[in-house]
């Protein structure tokens, strides 16, 4: 529903802001809520998955790294067109291919 999508978009923005401030726990909470609420389009969905991928990669434990790969695959599968997101995918791809599992 449009209300849910707006809520999702708001959570995504709050998550991005939290990340910029270095508040990782809060960022993860908001971005998970954004994904759960639903996002208005594939670009926003891909952005949310990529943010989660980055958060998981920073944790460095095996479960988080597996989750990172999963979020990355979901983001890539959406075939986003936004230049920044496409660029982020290329950047993350360099690292993610080295992760075992």
């Amino acid at each position: 529903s449009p209300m849910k999508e707006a809520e999702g978009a708001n959570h995504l923005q709050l998550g991005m802001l939290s990340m910029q401030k270095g508040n990782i726990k809060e960022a993860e909470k908001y971005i998970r809520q954004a994904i759960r609420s639903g996002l208005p389009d594939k670009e926003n969905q891909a952005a949310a998955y990529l943010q989660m991928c980055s958060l998981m990669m920073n944790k460095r434990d095996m479960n988080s790294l597996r989750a990172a790969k999963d979020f990355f695959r979901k983001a890539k599968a959406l075939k986003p067109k936004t230049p920044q997101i496409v660029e982020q995918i290329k950047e993350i791809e360099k690292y993610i291919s080295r992760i075992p599992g």
Side-chain angles (χ1 to χ4, degrees):
S1 75
M3 277 303 286
K4 274 275 189 224
E5 285 175 1
E7 193 181 307
N10 286 341
H11 285 307
L12 181 57
Q13 274 182 321
L14 289 168
M16 303 275 198
L17 286 171
S18 298
M19 270 184 96
Q20 285 168 3
K21 290 180 195 159
N23 192 337
I24 303 306
K25 261 193 163 60
E26 193 175 86
E28 184 180 336
K29 183 188 80 178
Y30 281 129
I31 295 167
R32 283 189 188 280
Q33 284 175 334
I35 292 168
R36 259 197 310 272
S37 298
L39 290 153
D41 55 44
K42 287 181 175 186
E43 303 301 313
N44 277 292
Q45 287 168 18
Y49 289 140
L50 286 175
Q51 289 300 330
M52 283 304 297
C53 174
S54 299
L55 288 167
M56 293 297 119
M57 280 168 61
N58 289 332
K59 289 187 178 182
R60 301 197 187 289
D61 61 273
M62 276 319 291
N63 284 341
S64 296
L65 292 175
R66 258 187 234 108
K69 282 189 135 179
D70 193 43
F71 283 120
F72 180 74
R73 276 193 291 270
K74 286 178 178 175
K76 207 174 164 183
L78 290 165
K79 297 182 173 40
K81 305 265 185 284
T82 309
Q84 298 103 304
I85 298 175
V86 172
E87 196 50 46
Q88 244 185 322
I89 286 175
K90 282 184 195 155
E91 282 301 305
I92 293 174
E93 204 146 30
K94 292 173 193 168
Y95 301 105
I96 214 125
S97 57
R98 299 186 200 136
I99 298 172

